[in-house]
Amino acid sequence: MPTLPPPVREPAWPLSRSAIGLWVTEGVLGTLVIGLAAAVFLLVVPASVGGPVPVLRWLLPGLALAYAVLAIGVRPWVRFRVHHWEVTGEAVYTLTGWLTRTWLLVPISRIQTVDVTRGVLQQLFGLASVSVLTASSAGTVHVPHLAVDVAQRVADDLAHRAEQVRDQAT
Amino acid sequence: MTTLSATGARRTSPLIVLLHTITFRQARQFVPLVIGIAATVGYRGGTTTVVALVVGVTVLSLVTALITWWRFSYTDGPSSVVVTRGLLSRSERTVPNDRIRGVEVEAPALHRVFGLVRVRIDAAAGGLTRKDHDEELVVDGVTRAEGDRLRISVLTHRSTGAPVADHAEAPEPAEVEFARFDNRWLLYAPLVGSYLALPLAAAGALYRVIDDLRNSLLPQLAGPFLRDPRSLGLLAAVALVLLLVGSVVGAALVNWGFRLVRRGGSLIAVRGLITRRHTELEIDRIRGATVTAGLGMRLVAAARTNALVTGLGDAGRRGQLLPLGPRSEAWRLARRLVEDPGPLTTHPPAARRRRLTRALFPGIVVTVAGLIATAADGWWELLVAGPALVAMGVPAGLGRYAALGHATGPRSFAVRSGWLVQEHALLQRRAVVGWRVRQTLFQRRAGLATVVACVGAGSGGYAAVDLGAGDIAAFTAAASESWAATLSRPAS
């Protein structure tokens, strides 16, 4: 696969390293749900039903295993390497995703509200997310999984600066 | 009503009670209940039961309408509009004047009989609640004069922020006509999907009614009549003609007498045959315009124009500047609002490969599945459908690629995409509130990326699909203000 340069530059700052722990936990939880579903299938549907069932009895556990490897062993690290964020003098800039990458740039002058959210899992890992909302439904920036104090500081700083440079052209 | 002060609570006209009684507006929720009662009691009582039912429903409707009218009041104060209502749980909604984005005065047919109008005050907030109808205050049933007073009062308070005395309305500035609907344009209606859907919806409603009656009242049509291919063909032809005529009639009902005028700082659109709608858009809030045309419309050089207005709820309908018309007219209107950045630049050849691959993929999957099915089961139907899908995918893919384009000008930019419905968006530079660049695994290998201009108007985002990855930074820098340079400037 040729290594083409990314379409735009990468934001500079990585997320908190604890995010890896959180993503692994999410992967484990997802695996448990899928594993449970596969186990129920194996117990409830006997192989004697015929049709595609004998194939499915092998396929489903295999898929569950593959998901476990991807979601626990691979995805958290790829995500951590991809996800970056940055606050410059004029804008908030993020890069998210693991297969499909999304860069999002929002100028501070067009910020309408800044939210800090802490999910249940995030609280366990001492993390918080910052959401920056604009007038556009497509222009909402999520900076996931920052250390709580960093998130709070960033949100306060952004809200303060948005207040000062806000222009009327929403 | 004129005796009340500008800050006092106002009521709607008592005539609205009569109107809502007739239309069972509030009593509609009881209809299933009434039907249930009627079903259990049965029609054995004959006329007496029917009369009792009719009287009962009318009284119920009158009472509910009366209560609604009695408990409803509104106030258009200097800083906000307050609507109070509700019998048991009083609800009072206050909308600050600076959040009001537009006022719409509409007069459905029955309202016109009573000389009443319905006023919708649009107070759409930011991007997340765009579809939320709670962001709208409805004052149903005021006189035409009061409706106009309310509209002007709300709009003046908003723009000046100062209280304005009721009678001291500024003289209405002169009108400049922007567009006037030519009834010949109604003939384009059968080529527009949304107008074609109108008679289908009507047919659906009719079918449900007939379905209820079928067993007892309908003549027996089925049988030999439906098996004759000639009568079937006739039936299809009649249905087709009805569909075409229905779409024209539907378009006429909605768009009759469409007129777009500029009065002071607002664009005012008036239209409708049975329900007259009066929509006001502030020119200052216009951030762009779209010219859209479906496949059929492009064949006859027709198009429609929408204005992209910030914070406008129900943007697809309210932003319409030209509901239907020749392409030249659509473009003349769009260019009057937004500077045209000039001819479009085509996207790289890799984009054509990607469009083609995506258009052919379903056909290829079906073909492969068909091969397997034929080999395994002798089930050949799928094998026929596959190549047909592939053949259709070729013009679709090429058409989608041909639609792609972007352009930047000194004060505006443009993006175009779509094949079944092609949308050409002209946007002002200041409209952009963010850039979203997306690159899938396949786009990464092809050296492409999609960039979406986030806009606080219209659909919220306008995409340049499959731009060359290397052109993105230049495009964003040229299409928005200095902050976009963050995308290319090395980290400081």
Side-chain angles (χ1 to χ4, degrees), chain B residues 188-328:
Chain B
Y188 292 134
L191 299 169
V192 186
S194 53
Y195 292 124
L196 268 185
L198 284 176
L200 285 181
L206 194 68
Y207 177 77
R208 254 180 299 159
V209 172
I210 292 175
D211 201 36
D212 289 341
L213 299 175
R214 182 152 59 189
N215 296 331
S216 49
L217 297 176
L218 227 60
Q220 289 293 314
L221 276 184
F225 176 74
L226 279 186
R227 263 179 241 127
D228 179 10
R230 256 187 313 174
S231 50
L232 262 186
L234 190 73
L235 212 63
V238 169
L240 188 70
V241 169
L242 277 182
L243 190 67
L244 297 184
V245 172
S247 67
V248 172
V249 170
L253 288 182
V254 180
N255 297 320
W256 193 263
F258 180 89
R259 234 175 126 236
L260 181 73
V261 296
R262 179 186 178 149
R263 192 188 292 155
S266 307
L267 279 182
I268 297 168
V270 185
R271 61 180 175 146
L273 186 63
I274 294 169
T275 300
R276 272 313 259 181
R277 272 179 207 288
H278 181 121
T279 314
E280 190 148 348
L281 308 172
E282 251 184 295
I283 292 180
D284 255 3
R285 290 190 178 275
I286 292 177
R287 293 287 176 274
T290 55
V291 176
T292 39
L295 205 56
M297 290 171 84
R298 291 207 293 281
L299 280 178
V300 294
R304 52 209 298 188
T305 308
N306 270 50
L308 309 178
V309 186
T310 57
L312 185 74
D314 197 3
R317 181 171 64 78
R318 290 193 185 161
Q320 282 195 349
L321 298 184
L322 184 74
L324 202 60
R327 191 189 291 150
S328 55

Side-chain angles (χ1 to χ4, degrees), chain A:
Chain A
M1 179 172 150
T3 46
L4 291 162
V8 286
R9 80 171 174 86
E10 243 176 43
W13 309 331
L15 302 182
S16 162
R17 270 207 92 82
S18 318
I20 296 180
L22 187 138
W23 282 322
V24 168
T25 315
E26 279 179 359
V28 169
L29 289 177
T31 306
L32 280 180
V33 171
I34 291 176
L36 209 67
V40 166
F41 178 82
L42 288 187
L43 287 177
V44 174
V45 186
S48 53
V49 171
V53 170
V55 184
L56 280 180
R57 281 178 74 89
W58 285 105
L59 201 63
L60 283 184
L63 283 179
L65 194 70
Y67 177 82
V69 171
L70 265 181
I72 300 172
V74 179
R75 198 170 58 185
W77 278 269
V78 174
R79 269 194 180 153
F80 183 75
R81 266 186 44 204
V82 172
H83 283 236
H84 278 84
W85 67 292
E86 196 179 321
V87 178
T88 69
E90 286 180 301
V92 188
Y93 188 28
T94 61
L95 166 56
T96 53
W98 76 296
L99 292 179
T100 295
R101 311 220 159 146
T102 305
W103 290 258
L104 200 68
L105 179 72
V106 163
I108 289 169
S109 59
R110 304 297 169 84
I111 291 177
Q112 286 195 329
T113 50
V114 183
D115 296 341
V116 178
T117 48
R118 302 188 62 192
V120 179
L121 273 181
Q122 283 185 315
Q123 290 186 27
L124 287 179
F125 288 90
L127 296 172
S129 299
V130 178
S131 302
V132 176
L133 276 72
T134 65
S136 162
S137 48
T140 302
V141 180
H142 290 286
V143 188
H145 311 329
L146 301 177
V148 171
D149 55 328
V150 176
Q152 198 58 54
R153 219 166 47 234
V154 167
D156 290 346
D157 171 55
L158 284 178
H160 178 69
R161 277 159 66 190
E163 193 72 39
Q164 289 182 326
V165 297
R166 193 193 309 270
D167 53 25
Q168 288 308 306
T170 45

Side-chain angles (χ1 to χ4, degrees), chain B residues 365-379:
Chain B
V365 169
V366 172
T367 310
V368 171
L371 280 175
I372 294 172
T374 314
D377 246 5
W379 201 55

Side-chain angles (χ1 to χ4, degrees), chain B residues 279-492:
Chain B
T279 314
E280 190 148 348
L281 308 172
E282 251 184 295
I283 292 180
D284 255 3
R285 290 190 178 275
I286 292 177
R287 293 287 176 274
T290 55
V291 176
T292 39
L295 205 56
M297 290 171 84
R298 291 207 293 281
L299 280 178
V300 294
R304 52 209 298 188
T305 308
N306 270 50
L308 309 178
V309 186
T310 57
L312 185 74
D314 197 3
R317 181 171 64 78
R318 290 193 185 161
Q320 282 195 349
L321 298 184
L322 184 74
L324 202 60
R327 191 189 291 150
S328 55
E329 182 73 8
W331 272 104
R332 194 182 59 78
L333 258 176
R335 291 202 178 100
R336 210 157 165 174
L337 297 175
V338 192
E339 193 176 301
D340 190 352
L344 297 177
T345 314
T346 52
H347 290 194
R352 174 167 39 212
R353 278 196 296 278
R354 190 168 137 79
R355 287 299 115 196
L356 267 177
T357 317
R358 286 175 62 119
L360 295 180
F361 187 70
I364 291 169
V365 169
V366 172
T367 310
V368 171
L371 280 175
I372 294 172
T374 314
D377 246 5
W379 201 55
W380 53 269
E381 284 93 338
L382 233 91
L383 196 57
V384 179
L389 274 176
V390 171
M392 284 193 307
V394 173
L398 291 177
R400 285 194 192 122
Y401 171 72
L404 297 182
H406 65 279
T408 51
R411 270 180 297 277
S412 61
F413 66 100
V415 293
R416 187 177 71 182
S417 66
W419 175 67
L420 273 179
V421 176
Q422 192 177 83
E423 183 181 72
H424 194 143
L426 298 178
L427 290 155
Q428 297 168 350
R429 280 174 70 121
R430 62 170 181 159
V432 184
V433 301
W435 288 107
R436 176 188 288 271
V437 181
R438 233 175 90 89
Q439 198 177 38
T440 63
L441 216 55
F442 298 110
Q443 280 180 315
R444 192 145 80 228
R445 303 189 64 163
L448 299 170
T450 295
V451 57
V452 180
C454 306
V455 175
S459 66
Y462 291 88
V465 179
D466 285 347
L467 219 60
D471 303 332
I472 290 213
F475 173 68
T476 52
S480 62
E481 284 134 23
S482 62
W483 52 266
T486 311
L487 287 174
S488 49
R489 189 190 300 142
S492 48

